[in-house]
Amino acid sequence: MGDVTQAEAEQDQLLSILRDELYVAVVSDVLDAGGLLEQAMDARLRPLAPGMRLVGRAHTVMTADVYVRPEEPYGPEIEAVDALRPGDVMVASTSRSERTCFWGELLSTAAVARGASGCAIDGHTRDALRIIDMGFPVFATGFRPVDSSSRSMVVGHGSPVEVGGVVVNPGDIIFGDYDGIVVIPPDRLADVVTAAHNKVTSENSSREMLQAGATLRQVYDRYGVL
Amino acid sequence: MGDVTQAEAEQDQLLSILRDELYVAVVSDVLDAGGLLEQAMDARLRPLAPGMRLVGRAHTVMTADVYVRPEEPYGPEIEAVDALRPGDVMVASTSRSERTCFWGELLSTAAVARGASGCAIDGHTRDALRIIDMGFPVFATGFRPVDSSSRSMVVGHGSPVEVGGVVVNPGDIIFGDYDGIVVIPPDRLADVVTAAHNKVTSENSSREMLQAGATLRQVYDRYGVL
Amino acid sequence: MGDVTQAEAEQDQLLSILRDELYVAVVSDVLDAGGLLEQAMDARLRPLAPGMRLVGRAHTVMTADVYVRPEEPYGPEIEAVDALRPGDVMVASTSRSERTCFWGELLSTAAVARGASGCAIDGHTRDALRIIDMGFPVFATGFRPVDSSSRSMVVGHGSPVEVGGVVVNPGDIIFGDYDGIVVIPPDRLADVVTAAHNKVTSENSSREMLQAGATLRQVYDRYGVL
Amino acid sequence: MGDVTQAEAEQDQLLSILRDELYVAVVSDVLDAGGLLEQAMDARLRPLAPGMRLVGRAHTVMTADVYVRPEEPYGPEIEAVDALRPGDVMVASTSRSERTCFWGELLSTAAVARGASGCAIDGHTRDALRIIDMGFPVFATGFRPVDSSSRSMVVGHGSPVEVGGVVVNPGDIIFGDYDGIVVIPPDRLADVVTAAHNKVTSENSSREMLQAGATLRQVYDRYGVL
Amino acid sequence: MGDVTQAEAEQDQLLSILRDELYVAVVSDVLDAGGLLEQAMDARLRPLAPGMRLVGRAHTVMTADVYVRPEEPYGPEIEAVDALRPGDVMVASTSRSERTCFWGELLSTAAVARGASGCAIDGHTRDALRIIDMGFPVFATGFRPVDSSSRSMVVGHGSPVEVGGVVVNPGDIIFGDYDGIVVIPPDRLADVVTAAHNKVTSENSSREMLQAGATLRQVYDRYGVL
Amino acid sequence: MGDVTQAEAEQDQLLSILRDELYVAVVSDVLDAGGLLEQAMDARLRPLAPGMRLVGRAHTVMTADVYVRPEEPYGPEIEAVDALRPGDVMVASTSRSERTCFWGELLSTAAVARGASGCAIDGHTRDALRIIDMGFPVFATGFRPVDSSSRSMVVGHGSPVEVGGVVVNPGDIIFGDYDGIVVIPPDRLADVVTAAHNKVTSENSSREMLQAGATLRQVYDRYGVL
């Protein structure tokens, strides 16, 4: 499974809290409050199944469309996948290609074997039902049954990429659920987790007061959250 | 829950029939037959869950994107939600913003508390799984985890809005199911319900005759419906 | 049910293998390997339900939008549906109309009665939940509750059409599952089925080796498939 | 040149006034004031040259994309062009095809020979520089060098068509200049011309007052036009 | 013409240099070098004529589409235009409306009378040929012949707006030519002008060396600019 | 200026005929007649000026968007430009990026110095007015004032690329005018030139007969061209 540093171990604890106790919308609100307003990927990336939760460190990769099959089409892709470390989320830009398909079941199997925790693609996947059966969290913009080898090529991994309208740096924290995906700068993670916990408490109080018949005006004046 | 007028009470009976006995496609056909050809919202608005049925009187609201957080970002939104009356459907235009998110769980909770029966947004929602759990019918164009306060502002409610390609006036009847949403002028509601009932009967006969092996030509010549 | 030729009977056996033992992604790979790189429809066409499998011979139809109800709006449509033969898949182009709706429950019922095995529409359907209940495989780009009669007209059937970015000829083999739809030239069907079986075996070996912890590089060097 | 009826001759006088004394923006305002708010084609249709003015009676035609060259590809197109009468404007829908090209120099030459006064296409043209040299007013959405015969087919002429977002009926009055195209119902033409003349007078007064330094508020309070 | 402050007078001198001696591409490069990478509006905004140069201080305005004519449709628009000061550029967001038209000849006349130096609209204009004749620099995304009063409403002026993908604050420096529009933060203007002058000199040397036959490699190694 | 082979010299003679005596539309018709139906680039690529004629051998290049400035951002771009040979047309894919800008005046100057005859970009250019003054034929999809170095990177040259919907191989013949661009396989060039000459003659006869008042039906029956 590779080495895990002390810093990663501490980060992993925070990631567990994201996964088990929080949700993306409340984390997005906390990022907003901290002045980070452009952290949510756009609505085109959707989870393959409603319950999928995507939590981990970004491992970035970028593809470009090609029109002849390269001599070694899979070389850089294999390298990118074999470089995954435990807790990584593959974050892939395809330049929004409607033609290729970046991900599938065998890559998911390889990623699981490396300890990766999910995949977010600004592009298509295939083998979707079998990936759902595996329980591996994949967020994509759609489905295509095709192989990538004659259609696109990995042109780099480990550099910043634009995915869903957000520039993602390697090591950024990725957090996704049914509402979408946010990107958390790693040095903000601890503060974000704390603040999100507090906001959940206020939201619970607001919800109860609304259920008891209060107007939104009364609730907002009291708790200051919507 | 506020006052319900006599006219509203009668209308509510017709709304119950829509909800319990009819479906959107047959009502759309009846509107077509009455010369009302532009009543169906376009395919971008989808229900959060397959079984959701949206029935009620339109309560319209319009938002515009902003790029600084207003001093009182939620003021007009709170006003719009607190103005909901029993049987209302919130019908919201966001100018098709891909950036903001108009709706969420707390607003759903507030809307339920006011007696509202659903929400149709030409824009995004969040807290989708919890809204599904609540059973509150929401139709939207997609999902974004973000709060609206730094991204858009309610600029008015109670005026005509364009949602899904249809101009909706306050008080228009909204009827949605898995096939989409139609907007029924309130003064046509009684006639529409009657005619839709009749058309359902013809369709049932057509279906049986087709199942028995008749060609479409034979069935159409007999019942005149497809 | 009409006559089935000897050639069709042999083809039907191959279609059964597609339906019961293969999946679209592996067939797409085999078509790629045979130099047929443009056989996969684009990602806009989706099945109404995850488990739907679309297998059959293309019966093509094309519609055009209209702005007055023709005198006999359904004539050519009825003709196109009544011409379906056992094992046919209705393959319909609407010129990507966002306005009309080509398919619905009664047409599905008629198609089932003729022995058709499914429908692929570059356009919208309605009555979706009832079609799902029927178990009739329909792939479409979305949902609209409207009838076609004042909105579009069948302008021909039995000619090549463009659906999902692929030109489909009558008699082409259509194969769709949750990953998408591929179009197989009928004279390649036997070879495709054989080669796809072989590729499934290699993929199974790759999967096991990956699950056992091998890197993607090791697996690819051994089996040569991703 | 064919016969010209008495009604057409009277209409031709009004068309001359449109061409020589008025402009599209003021006519659009007059249509608005008369409650006709959906008469302006959308911004995609542009004149081939800035000074082109399009004035005449709509002669409608509709094409559909094809994927094999029909046996007689030009038959219905020839019929549609040869049916042009003096003062007609060819108004063509291609279902917004990005693939075919409906118009060109030889068709322009044929149209001029029939006395037609221009062409408005929701689609592409070719031979653009030579058509500009001819001085024949063509409005189109772009340029493609291709012939239509293997790409699209005329499927009808003389029926209502949707062009630039407006449904155009045969005989509707088409008026276009550098700002765009409006469609005038023929029975409103006389009133529209009169009212447009009056509005031009008010606009001239407003312009002079603004040039003299008045605020927009002062000018609007006095003349009531912007 | 209103008062001009000392700071504005100094700024006006820098604006003259932009207008008379520099061009947008070199200023964009200087902004890039200073780490400001998101200052160029996107390619949709085009000048009405090739030689138009847009230079001034942003006066922002935002519109929203409406579907009934407001009681006083022009009120906020008149206010926004009458608030223009010498050297201002009207910078207007229409939420990318394809339906309304924000600008025209009378507003241009009023703006000129107030001393405004141009207009940049993320939306449509009309009266384009007459505005070109006036020599008033207008950049827009297209042309529509319609009036705004039944289609959109000014919902605010003097707040940040998003135009062409750039958030523009009131007082930002707007600089446009045939290549596009950049937005310069006012406190960077002096430095930008100086650095742009220097870059022009290097580019001139590069150009001469290339014309003399040097390779791009040789030139870039020597001057470090492309 | 580099070496020119005998084959290239013969090809250059044919290219001169294309440039001086033929036009793109007639060449497109000849390619159609030869069964090559997908040779015309789509309508998004436009010449910077109406009279520009683009004729030469394709020198292909591909860029990908980046989100950090590479250490040597211009390296592969310089290499690609310095590799241009006399008679080459730079044919560039940017994956339809709306963000970067591939071409400009200095690159045009360098290309001219290498003997290149033009540039076709599926993406943006800058310095457009100065390139027009140079008389260097550039076809692009729009204008952006920005430099590429922080926005995109050349990822290869001399491989097949997709530009304007056509896959272009190095050495393919590029022919563009105001109607668009076609791609001619080099081994078909001689035949295409001959056949195009013949078609021009038929078109001239058709034109004269139409001008003399014949119907399109009469002309088509006689000459068989439209």
Side-chain angles (χ1 to χ4, degrees):
Chain A
M1 282 268 174
D3 324 297
V4 176
T5 67
Q6 172 66 16
E8 279 177 358
E10 288 173 16
Q11 200 179 62
D12 283 346
Q13 287 191 306
L14 293 166
L15 296 183
S16 295
I17 300 175
L18 281 184
R19 183 183 289 106
D20 298 338
E21 303 174 29
L22 292 169
Y23 47 93
V24 172
V26 76
V27 167
S28 173
D29 288 353
V30 165
L31 291 165
D32 273 8
L36 295 169
L37 288 160
E38 307 295 337
Q39 303 306 108
M41 289 188 187
D42 67 41
R44 292 174 301 111
L45 279 90
R46 298 297 303 146
L48 297 195
M52 285 183 168
R53 297 173 70 76
L54 184 70
V55 181
R57 281 174 286 275
H59 176 79
T60 58
V61 64
M62 183 165 68
T63 74
D65 278 3
V66 295
Y67 293 86
V68 281
R69 200 175 194 267
E71 278 190 36
E72 298 200 23
Y74 296 118
E77 180 177 331
I78 287 170
E79 203 177 303
V81 172
D82 282 341
L84 283 163
R85 301 185 66 252
D88 278 355
V89 169
M90 177 69 89
V91 177
S93 162
T94 69
S95 289
R96 305 189 179 184
S97 172
E98 295 291 334
R99 182 168 158 266
T100 195
C101 173
F102 176 69
W103 201 251
E105 184 213 7
L106 287 183
L107 295 185
S108 295
T109 304
V112 167
R114 300 274 80 72
S117 62
C119 180
I121 314 159
D122 203 334
H124 300 320
T125 190
R126 64 178 186 174
D127 306 326
L129 292 180
R130 275 171 292 157
I131 294 174
I132 294 170
D133 283 347
M134 291 172 63
F136 185 67
V138 172
F139 286 58
T141 60
F143 308 88
R144 282 270 288 169
V146 300
D147 179 55
S148 62
S149 67
S150 298
R151 296 178 178 86
S152 63
M153 198 173 48
V154 167
V155 291
H157 72 92
S159 297
V161 294
E162 183 265 337
V163 172
V166 181
V167 176
V168 181
N169 291 285
D172 280 351
I173 303 305
I174 304 298
F175 183 27
D177 65 16
Y178 198 65
D179 287 339
I181 299 172
V182 287
V183 181
I184 309 169
D187 60 355
R188 305 287 277 268
L189 180 59
D191 289 350
V192 162
V193 166
T194 305
H197 260 299
N198 295 340
K199 185 154 200 288
V200 167
T201 306
S202 297
E203 288 185 357
N204 289 341
S205 306
S206 294
R207 187 184 302 111
E208 285 164 21
M209 194 172 160
L210 285 167
Q211 287 166 337
T215 63
L216 204 52
R217 167 53 59 197
Q218 292 165 336
V219 171
Y220 183 66
D221 287 348
R222 177 123 169 217
Y223 293 107
V225 300
L226 289 191
Chain B
M1 283 268 175
D3 323 297
V4 175
T5 66
Q6 171 66 17
E8 279 178 357
E10 288 173 17
Q11 199 179 64
D12 284 346
Q13 288 193 306
L14 293 166
L15 296 183
S16 295
I17 299 175
L18 281 185
R19 182 183 290 106
D20 299 338
E21 304 175 30
L22 293 168
Y23 46 94
V24 172
V26 75
V27 166
S28 173
D29 289 353
V30 164
L31 290 166
D32 273 10
L36 295 169
L37 288 160
E38 307 295 336
Q39 303 307 108
M41 289 188 188
D42 67 41
R44 293 174 301 109
L45 280 90
R46 297 297 303 146
L48 298 194
M52 284 183 169
R53 296 174 70 76
L54 183 70
V55 181
R57 281 174 286 273
H59 176 80
T60 59
V61 64
M62 182 165 69
T63 75
D65 278 3
V66 296
Y67 292 86
V68 283
R69 199 176 195 267
E71 280 190 34
E72 298 200 23
Y74 295 118
E77 180 176 331
I78 286 170
E79 203 177 303
V81 173
D82 282 341
L84 284 164
R85 301 184 67 251
D88 277 355
V89 169
M90 178 68 89
V91 177
S93 162
T94 69
S95 289
R96 305 190 179 184
S97 172
E98 294 292 334
R99 182 169 158 265
T100 195
C101 174
F102 176 69
W103 200 250
E105 184 213 6
L106 288 184
L107 295 185
S108 295
T109 305
V112 166
R114 298 275 81 71
S117 61
C119 181
I121 315 160
D122 203 333
H124 300 322
T125 190
R126 63 178 186 175
D127 306 326
L129 292 180
R130 276 171 293 157
I131 294 173
I132 294 171
D133 283 347
M134 291 172 63
F136 185 68
V138 172
F139 286 59
T141 60
F143 307 90
R144 283 270 288 168
V146 301
D147 178 55
S148 62
S149 67
S150 298
R151 295 178 179 86
S152 62
M153 199 175 46
V154 167
V155 291
H157 72 91
S159 297
V161 294
E162 183 266 337
V163 172
V166 181
V167 176
V168 181
N169 292 285
D172 280 352
I173 302 306
I174 305 298
F175 183 27
D177 66 15
Y178 197 66
D179 286 339
I181 300 172
V182 287
V183 179
I184 310 169
D187 59 354
R188 304 287 278 266
L189 180 58
D191 289 350
V192 161
V193 166
T194 304
H197 260 300
N198 294 340
K199 183 153 200 290
V200 168
T201 305
S202 297
E203 289 185 358
N204 289 342
S205 305
S206 294
R207 186 185 303 112
E208 285 165 22
M209 194 172 160
L210 285 167
Q211 287 167 335
T215 63
L216 205 51
R217 167 53 61 198
Q218 293 163 334
V219 171
Y220 182 67
D221 287 347
R222 176 125 169 216
Y223 293 106
V225 300
L226 289 192
Chain C
M1 283 266 175
D3 324 297
V4 176
T5 67
Q6 171 66 15
E8 279 177 357
E10 288 173 17
Q11 199 180 62
D12 284 345
Q13 288 192 306
L14 293 166
L15 296 183
S16 294
I17 300 174
L18 282 184
R19 182 183 290 106
D20 299 337
E21 303 175 29
L22 293 169
Y23 45 94
V24 172
V26 76
V27 167
S28 173
D29 288 354
V30 165
L31 291 166
D32 273 9
L36 295 170
L37 288 159
E38 307 294 337
Q39 303 307 108
M41 289 188 187
D42 68 40
R44 293 175 301 109
L45 280 90
R46 298 295 305 146
L48 298 194
M52 284 183 169
R53 297 174 70 76
L54 184 69
V55 180
R57 282 174 285 274
H59 176 79
T60 58
V61 64
M62 182 166 68
T63 75
D65 279 2
V66 295
Y67 293 86
V68 282
R69 198 174 197 267
E71 279 190 35
E72 298 200 21
Y74 295 118
E77 180 178 331
I78 286 170
E79 203 178 304
V81 173
D82 282 340
L84 284 164
R85 300 185 67 252
D88 278 355
V89 169
M90 176 70 88
V91 177
S93 162
T94 69
S95 289
R96 305 189 180 186
S97 171
E98 294 292 333
R99 183 168 158 265
T100 195
C101 173
F102 176 69
W103 200 250
E105 184 212 8
L106 288 184
L107 295 185
S108 295
T109 304
V112 167
R114 300 274 80 72
S117 61
C119 181
I121 315 160
D122 203 334
H124 300 320
T125 189
R126 65 177 186 176
D127 306 326
L129 292 180
R130 275 170 292 157
I131 294 173
I132 294 171
D133 284 347
M134 290 172 63
F136 185 69
V138 172
F139 286 57
T141 60
F143 307 90
R144 284 269 289 168
V146 300
D147 178 54
S148 62
S149 67
S150 298
R151 296 177 179 87
S152 62
M153 198 174 48
V154 166
V155 292
H157 71 92
S159 296
V161 294
E162 183 266 338
V163 172
V166 181
V167 176
V168 180
N169 291 286
D172 281 351
I173 302 305
I174 304 298
F175 184 26
D177 65 16
Y178 198 66
D179 286 340
I181 299 171
V182 287
V183 180
I184 310 169
D187 59 354
R188 305 287 277 267
L189 180 59
D191 289 349
V192 162
V193 166
T194 304
H197 260 299
N198 295 340
K199 185 155 198 290
V200 167
T201 305
S202 298
E203 288 185 358
N204 288 341
S205 306
S206 294
R207 187 184 303 112
E208 284 165 21
M209 193 173 161
L210 286 167
Q211 286 167 338
T215 63
L216 205 51
R217 166 54 60 199
Q218 293 165 335
V219 171
Y220 183 66
D221 287 347
R222 176 123 170 219
Y223 293 107
V225 301
L226 289 191
Chain D
M1 282 268 175
D3 325 296
V4 176
T5 66
Q6 171 67 15
E8 279 177 357
E10 287 173 17
Q11 200 180 62
D12 283 346
Q13 288 191 306
L14 294 167
L15 296 184
S16 293
I17 300 175
L18 281 184
R19 183 183 290 106
D20 299 337
E21 304 174 29
L22 293 170
Y23 46 94
V24 172
V26 75
V27 167
S28 173
D29 288 354
V30 165
L31 291 166
D32 273 10
L36 295 170
L37 289 159
E38 306 296 336
Q39 303 306 109
M41 289 188 186
D42 67 39
R44 293 175 300 109
L45 279 90
R46 298 296 303 147
L48 297 195
M52 284 182 168
R53 297 175 69 76
L54 184 69
V55 181
R57 283 174 284 274
H59 176 80
T60 58
V61 63
M62 183 165 68
T63 75
D65 278 3
V66 296
Y67 293 86
V68 282
R69 198 174 195 269
E71 279 190 34
E72 298 200 23
Y74 297 118
E77 180 178 331
I78 287 171
E79 201 178 305
V81 173
D82 282 341
L84 282 164
R85 300 186 66 252
D88 277 356
V89 169
M90 177 69 89
V91 177
S93 162
T94 69
S95 290
R96 305 188 181 186
S97 170
E98 295 292 334
R99 182 168 159 268
T100 196
C101 174
F102 175 69
W103 200 251
E105 183 213 7
L106 288 183
L107 295 185
S108 295
T109 303
V112 167
R114 300 274 81 71
S117 60
C119 180
I121 315 159
D122 204 334
H124 299 322
T125 189
R126 66 177 185 176
D127 306 325
L129 292 180
R130 275 171 292 158
I131 294 173
I132 294 171
D133 284 346
M134 291 172 62
F136 185 68
V138 171
F139 286 58
T141 60
F143 308 89
R144 284 269 287 169
V146 301
D147 178 56
S148 62
S149 67
S150 297
R151 297 177 177 87
S152 62
M153 199 174 47
V154 167
V155 292
H157 71 92
S159 296
V161 294
E162 184 267 336
V163 172
V166 181
V167 177
V168 181
N169 291 285
D172 280 351
I173 303 305
I174 304 298
F175 184 26
D177 65 16
Y178 198 65
D179 286 339
I181 299 172
V182 288
V183 180
I184 310 169
D187 59 356
R188 304 288 277 265
L189 180 59
D191 289 349
V192 162
V193 166
T194 303
H197 260 298
N198 294 340
K199 185 153 197 291
V200 167
T201 305
S202 297
E203 288 186 358
N204 288 342
S205 305
S206 294
R207 187 185 303 112
E208 286 166 20
M209 194 172 159
L210 286 166
Q211 286 166 337
T215 62
L216 205 51
R217 168 51 62 198
Q218 292 164 335
V219 172
Y220 183 65
D221 287 347
R222 177 125 167 214
Y223 294 107
V225 300
L226 289 190
Chain E
M1 280 269 176
D3 323 296
V4 175
T5 68
Q6 171 66 15
E8 279 177 358
E10 287 173 18
Q11 200 180 63
D12 282 347
Q13 287 192 307
L14 293 166
L15 296 183
S16 294
I17 299 175
L18 281 184
R19 183 183 289 108
D20 298 339
E21 304 174 29
L22 293 169
Y23 46 94
V24 171
V26 76
V27 167
S28 174
D29 288 353
V30 165
L31 291 166
D32 274 10
L36 295 170
L37 288 159
E38 306 295 337
Q39 302 307 106
M41 290 188 186
D42 67 40
R44 292 175 302 110
L45 279 89
R46 298 296 303 146
L48 297 195
M52 284 183 169
R53 297 175 69 78
L54 184 70
V55 181
R57 283 174 283 275
H59 176 80
T60 58
V61 63
M62 183 165 68
T63 74
D65 278 2
V66 296
Y67 292 86
V68 281
R69 200 174 193 268
E71 280 191 33
E72 298 200 21
Y74 296 118
E77 179 177 332
I78 287 170
E79 203 178 303
V81 173
D82 282 341
L84 284 163
R85 300 185 66 251
D88 277 357
V89 169
M90 177 68 90
V91 177
S93 162
T94 68
S95 290
R96 305 190 181 184
S97 171
E98 294 291 334
R99 181 169 159 266
T100 195
C101 174
F102 176 69
W103 199 251
E105 184 213 7
L106 289 183
L107 295 185
S108 295
T109 304
V112 167
R114 300 274 81 72
S117 62
C119 181
I121 315 159
D122 204 334
H124 300 322
T125 189
R126 65 176 184 175
D127 306 326
L129 292 181
R130 276 171 291 158
I131 294 173
I132 294 171
D133 284 346
M134 291 173 63
F136 185 68
V138 172
F139 286 58
T141 60
F143 307 89
R144 282 270 289 170
V146 301
D147 178 56
S148 61
S149 67
S150 298
R151 296 178 178 86
S152 62
M153 198 174 48
V154 167
V155 292
H157 71 92
S159 297
V161 294
E162 183 266 339
V163 172
V166 181
V167 176
V168 181
N169 291 284
D172 281 351
I173 303 305
I174 304 298
F175 185 27
D177 65 15
Y178 198 66
D179 286 340
I181 299 172
V182 288
V183 181
I184 311 168
D187 60 355
R188 304 287 277 268
L189 180 59
D191 289 349
V192 161
V193 166
T194 303
H197 260 299
N198 295 340
K199 184 154 200 288
V200 167
T201 306
S202 298
E203 287 186 358
N204 288 341
S205 305
S206 295
R207 187 184 302 112
E208 285 165 21
M209 194 173 160
L210 285 167
Q211 287 167 336
T215 63
L216 205 51
R217 168 52 63 199
Q218 293 163 335
V219 172
Y220 182 66
D221 287 347
R222 176 125 170 215
Y223 294 106
V225 301
L226 288 191
Chain F
M1 282 270 175
D3 325 296
V4 176
T5 67
Q6 171 68 15
E8 279 176 358
E10 288 173 16
Q11 201 180 60
D12 284 345
Q13 288 192 306
L14 293 166
L15 296 183
S16 294
I17 300 174
L18 281 185
R19 183 183 289 107
D20 299 338
E21 305 174 28
L22 293 169
Y23 45 95
V24 173
V26 76
V27 168
S28 173
D29 288 353
V30 164
L31 291 166
D32 274 9
L36 295 170
L37 288 159
E38 307 294 336
Q39 303 306 108
M41 290 189 186
D42 67 40
R44 293 175 302 109
L45 279 91
R46 297 296 304 145
L48 297 194
M52 284 182 169
R53 296 174 71 77
L54 184 70
V55 181
R57 282 175 283 275
H59 175 79
T60 59
V61 64
M62 182 165 69
T63 75
D65 278 3
V66 296
Y67 293 87
V68 283
R69 199 175 194 269
E71 280 190 35
E72 298 199 23
Y74 296 118
E77 180 177 331
I78 287 170
E79 201 178 304
V81 174
D82 282 341
L84 283 164
R85 301 185 67 251
D88 276 357
V89 169
M90 177 69 89
V91 177
S93 163
T94 69
S95 290
R96 305 190 181 185
S97 171
E98 295 292 333
R99 180 169 160 267
T100 195
C101 174
F102 175 70
W103 200 251
E105 183 213 7
L106 288 183
L107 294 185
S108 295
T109 305
V112 167
R114 299 275 81 71
S117 62
C119 181
I121 315 159
D122 204 335
H124 299 322
T125 189
R126 65 177 184 174
D127 306 326
L129 292 181
R130 276 171 291 158
I131 294 173
I132 294 171
D133 284 347
M134 292 173 62
F136 185 68
V138 172
F139 286 58
T141 60
F143 308 89
R144 282 270 288 169
V146 302
D147 178 55
S148 63
S149 67
S150 297
R151 296 179 177 86
S152 62
M153 200 173 48
V154 167
V155 293
H157 72 92
S159 296
V161 294
E162 182 266 337
V163 172
V166 181
V167 177
V168 181
N169 292 285
D172 280 351
I173 303 306
I174 304 298
F175 184 27
D177 64 16
Y178 198 66
D179 286 340
I181 299 172
V182 288
V183 181
I184 310 169
D187 59 354
R188 305 287 277 267
L189 180 59
D191 290 349
V192 161
V193 166
T194 304
H197 260 300
N198 294 339
K199 185 155 199 287
V200 167
T201 306
S202 297
E203 288 186 358
N204 288 341
S205 305
S206 294
R207 186 184 303 111
E208 284 164 20
M209 194 172 160
L210 286 167
Q211 286 166 337
T215 63
L216 205 51
R217 169 51 63 199
Q218 292 164 336
V219 172
Y220 182 67
D221 288 347
R222 176 123 168 216
Y223 293 107
V225 300
L226 288 190

